[in-house]
Amino acid sequence: MQLQANDKILDLTRPQIMGILNITPDSFSDSGQFLFLDKALFQAEKMLNEGATIIDIGGESTRPGAKAVTVQQELDRVLPVLQALHERFDCWLSVDTSKAEVMQAAAQAGAELINDVRALQEPKALQVAAQSQLPVCLMHMQGQPRTMQQNPHYDNVYTDVLTFLQERTTACLQAGISREKILWDPGFGFGKTLAHNYALLKGLNRLCQQGFPVLVGMSRKSMIGNLLNRPVDERLVGSVTAALIATQKGVKILRVHDVAATKDALQVWEASL
């Protein structure tokens, strides 16, 4: 199993690490740390040296209660970093956005992956993604970031997530996005209670058997913090444990803040196979 974009191939026969690079002042974990270009480049290089093969660049926080940003604000945050990384490093670059204008500009600037928490449901996103011919990651989210954690409800969280991802996949195929360019993300923490998140984690192997590479992001999230009663900066062990469980269940891409620790865990796991 592999992913192809531009002139790059990503080997998915073994798990890959996606390093999180938030160019936002209000993300839940590293708000404002990488708003300046030199700091963002330094952090990206650090994550690549530690074992990341993908850098995921986001210019709009999607934490619960986060404020929306305009298209121009997001472009101003994302494009300089994306362009600089494209010039300096031979890695996969992902843009974490739901806006068609940002997707289009990022594709032109050298991005290899569109990572959309809204699964290409925003205006023109589906058409722009199809025209870009880039791989897309479709994520499940109940509601919108501002309100998604107020009262999430499911008849069956696994079935509901699977149905949604299947429906969005059908929409992608009809829009001209090829099957081999589609990834799935169950959306841990996006409109889900603690019980919902762990029910999804328990059933993750079934999601990984549906024929699409699965990407997950559980790093430092409240599903770790609320279970362990730990603040954001004390969730390393829980985050790495969750990543390793996901890998054992068949996940192909781990979206994380702590690249080095995740890489160590994967190396120990792979040596035991």
Side-chain angles (χ1 to χ4, degrees), residues 130-145:
Q131 290 165 5
S132 76
Q133 299 187 324
L134 294 179
V136 297
C137 184
L138 308 173
M139 196 196 80
H140 174 274
M141 172 171 59
Q142 187 177 93
Q144 293 294 326

Side-chain angles (χ1 to χ4, degrees), residues 62 96-98 114-121 136-145 148-149 151-169 172 182-193 196-197 200 204 207 213-218 221 223:
T62 49
D96 180 359
T97 187
S98 297
I114 295 168
N115 183 20
D116 185 5
V117 299
R118 294 178 177 85
L120 303 179
Q121 294 183 98
V136 297
C137 184
L138 308 173
M139 196 196 80
H140 174 274
M141 172 171 59
Q142 187 177 93
Q144 293 294 326
M148 64 187 177
Q149 289 304 105
N151 188 29
H153 172 77
Y154 299 89
D155 294 328
N156 179 297
V157 66
Y158 172 78
T159 304
D160 290 356
V161 168
L162 176 60
T163 299
F164 172 83
L165 292 173
Q166 289 172 331
E167 288 173 351
R168 294 311 300 156
T169 296
C172 286
I182 297 173
L183 299 93
W184 283 2
D185 180 347
F188 287 102
F190 283 80
K192 296 166 183 78
T193 64
H196 292 148
N197 284 316
L200 271 180
L204 203 50
L207 196 69
V214 174
L215 179 156
V216 299
M218 294 179 280
K221 286 187 175 177
M223 67 176 286

Side-chain angles (χ1 to χ4, degrees), residues 14-261:
R14 58 197 303 254
Q16 301 291 340
I17 296 175
M18 170 185 274
I20 299 169
L21 188 61
N22 288 322
I23 317 298
T24 59
D26 57 350
S27 60
F28 82 94
S29 177
D30 46 19
S31 6
Q33 286 189 52
F34 311 118
L35 274 172
F36 298 102
L37 182 59
D38 57 344
K39 290 187 176 182
L41 292 178
F42 179 83
Q43 176 66 5
E45 184 173 25
K46 177 176 179 286
M47 291 191 292
L48 291 171
N49 289 337
E50 290 173 347
T53 50
I54 313 164
I55 301 296
D56 190 42
I57 306 161
E60 178 178 18
S61 174
T62 49
R63 66 172 176 79
K67 294 180 180 179
V69 302
T70 66
V71 170
Q72 193 58 53
Q73 283 176 311
E74 195 172 337
L75 287 169
D76 290 345
R77 292 173 181 178
V78 168
L79 283 186
V81 174
L82 177 59
Q83 290 164 345
L85 291 177
H86 180 66
E87 291 169 4
R88 288 166 173 78
F89 303 112
D90 185 27
C91 66
W92 273 63
L93 297 172
S94 167
V95 60
D96 180 359
T97 187
S98 297
K99 296 181 178 70
E101 298 91 337
V102 180
M103 293 176 189
Q104 188 169 42
Q108 292 169 350
E112 276 82 29
L113 175 64
I114 295 168
N115 183 20
D116 185 5
V117 299
R118 294 178 177 85
L120 303 179
Q121 294 183 98
E122 291 295 289
K124 298 184 180 178
L126 194 56
Q127 297 90 326
V128 167
Q131 290 165 5
S132 76
Q133 299 187 324
L134 294 179
V136 297
C137 184
L138 308 173
M139 196 196 80
H140 174 274
M141 172 171 59
Q142 187 177 93
Q144 293 294 326
R146 262 57 70 185
T147 57
M148 64 187 177
Q149 289 304 105
Q150 289 179 4
N151 188 29
H153 172 77
Y154 299 89
D155 294 328
N156 179 297
V157 66
Y158 172 78
T159 304
D160 290 356
V161 168
L162 176 60
T163 299
F164 172 83
L165 292 173
Q166 289 172 331
E167 288 173 351
R168 294 311 300 156
T169 296
T170 298
C172 286
L173 295 173
Q174 290 173 345
I177 298 173
S178 59
R179 185 182 178 88
E180 62 270 16
K181 290 188 181 294
I182 297 173
L183 299 93
W184 283 2
D185 180 347
F188 287 102
F190 283 80
K192 296 166 183 78
T193 64
L194 191 66
H196 292 148
N197 284 316
Y198 283 97
L200 271 180
L201 183 57
K202 184 176 181 179
L204 203 50
N205 56 314
R206 289 185 289 160
L207 196 69
C208 292
Q209 292 164 2
Q210 301 297 317
F212 297 93
V214 174
L215 179 156
V216 299
M218 294 179 280
S219 178
R220 302 185 187 175
K221 286 187 175 177
S222 60
M223 67 176 286
I224 308 294
N226 290 345
L227 181 73
L228 304 177
N229 194 26
R230 300 281 189 186
V232 170
D233 59 354
E234 293 180 15
R235 297 175 185 176
L236 175 62
V237 174
S239 296
V240 172
T241 302
L244 198 56
I245 291 169
T247 301
Q248 291 171 327
K249 289 177 178 287
V251 164
K252 299 302 182 184
I253 300 176
L254 301 165
R255 185 179 183 272
V256 305
H257 299 88
D258 303 291
V259 174

